[in-house]
């Protein structure tokens, strides 16, 4: 493949008046950064971080024009490092992809070879992106609870942001592994959908905060997966059973929260951080082996809506307006 080979990509540009516009453009391979591994992207997924990059959030992306897309699934075009063979199916999650390195919402990416891992044989590229970064984060959250000793007999697991990408896959994986799930959402019209995914009970997310300023409350769930942050995270911790744990992976409800240390020292509750971006590649490969085996969900097609590259500007705007539900798989190759 020559440097003059063209491909389609979503490009976000900063205008002279400080606005950001999104469009699908033709680019050349020579426009990509110089790296060892060149990949033809078949599928990507849509994530909140992509939407933030596409609206000019300089904490995510510093330089524009830019192509977002924090994950990608595709085939190797060339690899100067010799790590992968031409035509091999590979997955890429996190590191700098889609942040300041052009990402998976383009038909070609050029990355360091150590960012990629082989796609498990029991998953297609589309299935891998049906999980995507959201599904990877969900799987890591469940696994971390397990490492802390969580088991289904302990009692229910609370999941916040239940209609989001991490929340929906968390519910489904927990259900498959035998856990009872209490789903919390600000979209009551999605209650039946959440029960179909595996939630035994659906509550409005604001009920978590009814505890107010009390240092601890009734012990209502054994463990929890929080995707919101802020007061929701604080009040989840206050109402977790003794010895339980709460994972944290999102901040849509705020990056800060205020509470006492009482749940930690009187109930031995644990707060567990989840990172799906910079964890070692070996750890990513290990969790994907689980996603491809005991965490593999039946009827994966039903968990993600397939959309095209041309629909990206519209769907990225939907993300910022909180008008999305579940996972979105982007057919990048077309």
């Amino acid at each position: 493949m020559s440097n003059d080979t063209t491909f389609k990509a979503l490009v976000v540009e900063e205008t002279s008046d400080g606005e950001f516009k999104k469009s699908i453009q033709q680019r050349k391979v020579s426009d990509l950064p110089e790296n060892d591994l060149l990949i033809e992207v078949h599928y990507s997924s849509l994530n909140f971080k992509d939407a933030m990059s596409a609206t000019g959030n300089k904490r995510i992306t510093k330089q524009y024009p830019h192509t977002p897309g924090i994950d990608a699934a595709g085939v190797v075009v060339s690899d100067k490092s010799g790590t992968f063979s031409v035509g091999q199916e590979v997955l890429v999650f996190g590191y700098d992809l889609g942040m300041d390195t052009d990402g998976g919402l383009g038909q070609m990416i050029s990355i360091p070879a150590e960012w990629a891992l082989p796609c498990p044989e029991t998953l297609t590229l589309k299935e891998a992106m049906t999980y995507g970064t959201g599904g990877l984060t969900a799987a890591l959250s469940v696994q971390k609870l397990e490492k802390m000793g969580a088991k289904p007999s302990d009692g229910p697991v609370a999941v916040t942001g239940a209609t989001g990408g991490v929340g929906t896959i968390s519910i489904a994986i927990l259900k498959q592994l035998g856990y009872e799930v209490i789903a919390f959402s600000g979209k009551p019209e999605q209650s039946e959908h959440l029960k179909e995914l595996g939630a035994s009970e659906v509550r409005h997310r604001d009920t978590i905060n009814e505890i107010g300023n009390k240092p601890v409350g009734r012990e209502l769930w054994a463990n929890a997966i929080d995707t919101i942050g802020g007061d929701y995270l604080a009040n989840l911790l206050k109402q977790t059973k003794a010895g339980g744990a709460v994972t944290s992976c999102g901040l849509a409800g705020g990056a800060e929260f205020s509470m006492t240390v009482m749940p930690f020292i009187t109930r031995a509750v644990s707060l567990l951080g989840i990172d799906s971006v910079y964890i070692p590649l070996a750890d990513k490969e290990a969790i994907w082996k689980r996603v491809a085996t005991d965490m593999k969900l039946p009827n994966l097609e039903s968990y993600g809506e397939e959309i095209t590259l041309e629909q990206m500007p519209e769907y990225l705007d939907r993300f910022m307006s909180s008008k999305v539900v579940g996972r979105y798989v982007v057919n990048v190759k077309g």
Side-chain angles (χ1 to χ4, degrees), residues 241-264:
K241 292 182 179 180
V246 179
T247 66
S248 172
C249 66
L251 45 66
E256 299 179 357
F257 64 91
S258 178
M259 61 181 293
T260 73
V261 298
M262 296 300 288
F264 306 115

PDB file of all heavy atoms in Angstrom, residues 241-264:
ATOM      1  N   LYS A 241     -22.976  -3.173  51.532  1.00  0.00           N
ATOM      2  CA  LYS A 241     -22.864  -4.078  52.674  1.00  0.00           C
ATOM      3  C   LYS A 241     -21.425  -4.177  53.167  1.00  0.00           C
ATOM      4  O   LYS A 241     -20.470  -3.977  52.417  1.00  0.00           O
ATOM      5  CB  LYS A 241     -23.371  -5.471  52.292  1.00  0.00           C
ATOM      6  CG  LYS A 241     -24.865  -5.548  52.042  1.00  0.00           C
ATOM      7  CD  LYS A 241     -25.293  -6.974  51.724  1.00  0.00           C
ATOM      8  CE  LYS A 241     -26.798  -7.076  51.504  1.00  0.00           C
ATOM      9  NZ  LYS A 241     -27.220  -8.473  51.192  1.00  0.00           N
ATOM     10  N   ALA A 242     -21.267  -4.530  54.428  1.00  0.00           N
ATOM     11  CA  ALA A 242     -19.949  -4.685  55.046  1.00  0.00           C
ATOM     12  C   ALA A 242     -19.102  -5.671  54.243  1.00  0.00           C
ATOM     13  O   ALA A 242     -19.567  -6.758  53.872  1.00  0.00           O
ATOM     14  CB  ALA A 242     -20.092  -5.175  56.483  1.00  0.00           C
ATOM     15  N   GLY A 243     -17.872  -5.277  53.960  1.00  0.00           N
ATOM     16  CA  GLY A 243     -16.954  -6.125  53.208  1.00  0.00           C
ATOM     17  C   GLY A 243     -17.110  -6.046  51.708  1.00  0.00           C
ATOM     18  O   GLY A 243     -16.359  -6.683  50.973  1.00  0.00           O
ATOM     19  N   GLY A 244     -18.081  -5.258  51.230  1.00  0.00           N
ATOM     20  CA  GLY A 244     -18.322  -5.145  49.797  1.00  0.00           C
ATOM     21  C   GLY A 244     -17.397  -4.147  49.128  1.00  0.00           C
ATOM     22  O   GLY A 244     -16.540  -3.533  49.761  1.00  0.00           O
ATOM     23  N   ALA A 245     -17.592  -3.976  47.839  1.00  0.00           N
ATOM     24  CA  ALA A 245     -16.733  -3.085  47.059  1.00  0.00           C
ATOM     25  C   ALA A 245     -17.542  -2.380  45.988  1.00  0.00           C
ATOM     26  O   ALA A 245     -18.567  -2.891  45.524  1.00  0.00           O
ATOM     27  CB  ALA A 245     -15.587  -3.867  46.425  1.00  0.00           C
ATOM     28  N   VAL A 246     -17.055  -1.203  45.590  1.00  0.00           N
ATOM     29  CA  VAL A 246     -17.669  -0.414  44.519  1.00  0.00           C
ATOM     30  C   VAL A 246     -16.577  -0.050  43.525  1.00  0.00           C
ATOM     31  O   VAL A 246     -15.541   0.490  43.907  1.00  0.00           O
ATOM     32  CB  VAL A 246     -18.320   0.874  45.066  1.00  0.00           C
ATOM     33  CG1 VAL A 246     -18.917   1.688  43.928  1.00  0.00           C
ATOM     34  CG2 VAL A 246     -19.387   0.543  46.107  1.00  0.00           C
ATOM     35  N   THR A 247     -16.789  -0.364  42.248  1.00  0.00           N
ATOM     36  CA  THR A 247     -15.840   0.037  41.214  1.00  0.00           C
ATOM     37  C   THR A 247     -16.247   1.388  40.652  1.00  0.00           C
ATOM     38  O   THR A 247     -17.424   1.733  40.580  1.00  0.00           O
ATOM     39  CB  THR A 247     -15.761  -0.986  40.069  1.00  0.00           C
ATOM     40  OG1 THR A 247     -17.020  -1.019  39.380  1.00  0.00           O
ATOM     41  CG2 THR A 247     -15.416  -2.371  40.593  1.00  0.00           C
ATOM     42  N   SER A 248     -15.255   2.173  40.213  1.00  0.00           N
ATOM     43  CA  SER A 248     -15.499   3.506  39.669  1.00  0.00           C
ATOM     44  C   SER A 248     -14.806   3.645  38.321  1.00  0.00           C
ATOM     45  O   SER A 248     -13.603   3.400  38.204  1.00  0.00           O
ATOM     46  CB  SER A 248     -14.968   4.566  40.634  1.00  0.00           C
ATOM     47  OG  SER A 248     -15.030   5.859  40.064  1.00  0.00           O
ATOM     48  N   CYS A 249     -15.581   4.057  37.287  1.00  0.00           N
ATOM     49  CA  CYS A 249     -14.975   4.180  35.957  1.00  0.00           C
ATOM     50  C   CYS A 249     -15.499   5.381  35.177  1.00  0.00           C
ATOM     51  O   CYS A 249     -15.171   5.531  34.003  1.00  0.00           O
ATOM     52  CB  CYS A 249     -15.202   2.905  35.148  1.00  0.00           C
ATOM     53  SG  CYS A 249     -16.935   2.610  34.746  1.00  0.00           S
ATOM     54  N   GLY A 250     -16.343   6.233  35.790  1.00  0.00           N
ATOM     55  CA  GLY A 250     -16.900   7.348  35.030  1.00  0.00           C
ATOM     56  C   GLY A 250     -17.080   8.585  35.877  1.00  0.00           C
ATOM     57  O   GLY A 250     -17.050   8.528  37.110  1.00  0.00           O
ATOM     58  N   LEU A 251     -17.305   9.715  35.200  1.00  0.00           N
ATOM     59  CA  LEU A 251     -17.433  10.979  35.933  1.00  0.00           C
ATOM     60  C   LEU A 251     -18.505  11.900  35.356  1.00  0.00           C
ATOM     61  O   LEU A 251     -18.463  13.114  35.551  1.00  0.00           O
ATOM     62  CB  LEU A 251     -16.089  11.702  36.003  1.00  0.00           C
ATOM     63  CG  LEU A 251     -15.216  11.813  34.755  1.00  0.00           C
ATOM     64  CD1 LEU A 251     -15.806  12.661  33.665  1.00  0.00           C
ATOM     65  CD2 LEU A 251     -13.839  12.321  35.135  1.00  0.00           C
ATOM     66  N   ALA A 252     -19.491  11.324  34.658  1.00  0.00           N
ATOM     67  CA  ALA A 252     -20.557  12.155  34.088  1.00  0.00           C
ATOM     68  C   ALA A 252     -21.298  12.928  35.166  1.00  0.00           C
ATOM     69  O   ALA A 252     -21.814  14.023  34.924  1.00  0.00           O
ATOM     70  CB  ALA A 252     -21.539  11.287  33.298  1.00  0.00           C
ATOM     71  N   GLY A 253     -21.344  12.383  36.394  1.00  0.00           N
ATOM     72  CA  GLY A 253     -22.010  13.054  37.506  1.00  0.00           C
ATOM     73  C   GLY A 253     -21.085  13.934  38.320  1.00  0.00           C
ATOM     74  O   GLY A 253     -21.495  14.494  39.339  1.00  0.00           O
ATOM     75  N   GLY A 254     -19.840  14.068  37.881  1.00  0.00           N
ATOM     76  CA  GLY A 254     -18.876  14.913  38.578  1.00  0.00           C
ATOM     77  C   GLY A 254     -17.603  14.170  38.905  1.00  0.00           C
ATOM     78  O   GLY A 254     -17.619  12.965  39.173  1.00  0.00           O
ATOM     79  N   ALA A 255     -16.491  14.891  38.882  1.00  0.00           N
ATOM     80  CA  ALA A 255     -15.189  14.297  39.189  1.00  0.00           C
ATOM     81  C   ALA A 255     -14.879  14.336  40.679  1.00  0.00           C
ATOM     82  O   ALA A 255     -13.908  13.728  41.126  1.00  0.00           O
ATOM     83  CB  ALA A 255     -14.092  15.016  38.415  1.00  0.00           C
ATOM     84  N   GLU A 256     -15.693  15.045  41.437  1.00  0.00           N
ATOM     85  CA  GLU A 256     -15.449  15.168  42.874  1.00  0.00           C
ATOM     86  C   GLU A 256     -16.647  14.645  43.654  1.00  0.00           C
ATOM     87  O   GLU A 256     -17.780  14.666  43.167  1.00  0.00           O
ATOM     88  CB  GLU A 256     -15.205  16.638  43.251  1.00  0.00           C
ATOM     89  CG  GLU A 256     -13.989  17.235  42.565  1.00  0.00           C
ATOM     90  CD  GLU A 256     -13.800  18.699  42.935  1.00  0.00           C
ATOM     91  OE1 GLU A 256     -14.657  19.237  43.689  1.00  0.00           O
ATOM     92  OE2 GLU A 256     -12.811  19.299  42.494  1.00  0.00           O
ATOM     93  N   PHE A 257     -16.397  14.153  44.874  1.00  0.00           N
ATOM     94  CA  PHE A 257     -17.491  13.799  45.765  1.00  0.00           C
ATOM     95  C   PHE A 257     -17.046  14.019  47.199  1.00  0.00           C
ATOM     96  O   PHE A 257     -15.850  14.034  47.511  1.00  0.00           O
ATOM     97  CB  PHE A 257     -17.974  12.358  45.546  1.00  0.00           C
ATOM     98  CG  PHE A 257     -16.965  11.289  45.857  1.00  0.00           C
ATOM     99  CD1 PHE A 257     -16.884  10.726  47.122  1.00  0.00           C
ATOM    100  CD2 PHE A 257     -16.106  10.806  44.870  1.00  0.00           C
ATOM    101  CE1 PHE A 257     -15.974   9.733  47.415  1.00  0.00           C
ATOM    102  CE2 PHE A 257     -15.195   9.803  45.145  1.00  0.00           C
ATOM    103  CZ  PHE A 257     -15.123   9.265  46.424  1.00  0.00           C
ATOM    104  N   SER A 258     -18.017  14.199  48.078  1.00  0.00           N
ATOM    105  CA  SER A 258     -17.732  14.484  49.477  1.00  0.00           C
ATOM    106  C   SER A 258     -18.439  13.468  50.366  1.00  0.00           C
ATOM    107  O   SER A 258     -19.625  13.203  50.194  1.00  0.00           O
ATOM    108  CB  SER A 258     -18.207  15.899  49.827  1.00  0.00           C
ATOM    109  OG  SER A 258     -17.990  16.177  51.198  1.00  0.00           O
ATOM    110  N   MET A 259     -17.685  12.886  51.308  1.00  0.00           N
ATOM    111  CA  MET A 259     -18.244  11.923  52.245  1.00  0.00           C
ATOM    112  C   MET A 259     -17.258  11.727  53.396  1.00  0.00           C
ATOM    113  O   MET A 259     -16.116  12.188  53.333  1.00  0.00           O
ATOM    114  CB  MET A 259     -18.518  10.583  51.549  1.00  0.00           C
ATOM    115  CG  MET A 259     -17.274   9.910  50.976  1.00  0.00           C
ATOM    116  SD  MET A 259     -17.625   8.345  50.139  1.00  0.00           S
ATOM    117  CE  MET A 259     -18.149   7.304  51.505  1.00  0.00           C
ATOM    118  N   THR A 260     -17.699  11.030  54.416  1.00  0.00           N
ATOM    119  CA  THR A 260     -16.796  10.696  55.517  1.00  0.00           C
ATOM    120  C   THR A 260     -16.105   9.375  55.215  1.00  0.00           C
ATOM    121  O   THR A 260     -16.428   8.685  54.239  1.00  0.00           O
ATOM    122  CB  THR A 260     -17.576  10.559  56.837  1.00  0.00           C
ATOM    123  OG1 THR A 260     -18.336   9.336  56.811  1.00  0.00           O
ATOM    124  CG2 THR A 260     -18.514  11.736  57.065  1.00  0.00           C
ATOM    125  N   VAL A 261     -15.168   8.995  56.063  1.00  0.00           N
ATOM    126  CA  VAL A 261     -14.478   7.715  55.905  1.00  0.00           C
ATOM    127  C   VAL A 261     -15.236   6.575  56.590  1.00  0.00           C
ATOM    128  O   VAL A 261     -14.761   5.438  56.589  1.00  0.00           O
ATOM    129  CB  VAL A 261     -13.040   7.779  56.470  1.00  0.00           C
ATOM    130  CG1 VAL A 261     -12.228   8.804  55.714  1.00  0.00           C
ATOM    131  CG2 VAL A 261     -13.045   8.075  57.967  1.00  0.00           C
ATOM    132  N   MET A 262     -16.415   6.860  57.130  1.00  0.00           N
ATOM    133  CA  MET A 262     -17.135   5.859  57.920  1.00  0.00           C
ATOM    134  C   MET A 262     -17.384   4.540  57.189  1.00  0.00           C
ATOM    135  O   MET A 262     -17.171   3.463  57.767  1.00  0.00           O
ATOM    136  CB  MET A 262     -18.449   6.441  58.440  1.00  0.00           C
ATOM    137  CG  MET A 262     -18.264   7.605  59.417  1.00  0.00           C
ATOM    138  SD  MET A 262     -17.318   7.131  60.879  1.00  0.00           S
ATOM    139  CE  MET A 262     -18.528   6.105  61.714  1.00  0.00           C
ATOM    140  N   PRO A 263     -17.827   4.535  55.906  1.00  0.00           N
ATOM    141  CA  PRO A 263     -18.042   3.238  55.251  1.00  0.00           C
ATOM    142  C   PRO A 263     -16.772   2.395  55.154  1.00  0.00           C
ATOM    143  O   PRO A 263     -16.826   1.168  55.159  1.00  0.00           O
ATOM    144  CB  PRO A 263     -18.547   3.632  53.854  1.00  0.00           C
ATOM    145  CG  PRO A 263     -19.110   4.985  54.024  1.00  0.00           C
ATOM    146  CD  PRO A 263     -18.227   5.651  55.040  1.00  0.00           C
ATOM    147  N   PHE A 264     -15.620   3.070  55.078  1.00  0.00           N
ATOM    148  CA  PHE A 264     -14.360   2.356  54.923  1.00  0.00           C
ATOM    149  C   PHE A 264     -13.859   1.760  56.243  1.00  0.00           C
ATOM    150  O   PHE A 264     -13.286   0.670  56.250  1.00  0.00           O
ATOM    151  CB  PHE A 264     -13.298   3.301  54.340  1.00  0.00           C
ATOM    152  CG  PHE A 264     -13.714   3.983  53.071  1.00  0.00           C
ATOM    153  CD1 PHE A 264     -13.880   5.352  53.024  1.00  0.00           C
ATOM    154  CD2 PHE A 264     -13.959   3.249  51.916  1.00  0.00           C
ATOM    155  CE1 PHE A 264     -14.273   5.990  51.859  1.00  0.00           C
ATOM    156  CE2 PHE A 264     -14.353   3.870  50.741  1.00  0.00           C
ATOM    157  CZ  PHE A 264     -14.522   5.249  50.715  1.00  0.00           C
TER     158      PHE A 264
END
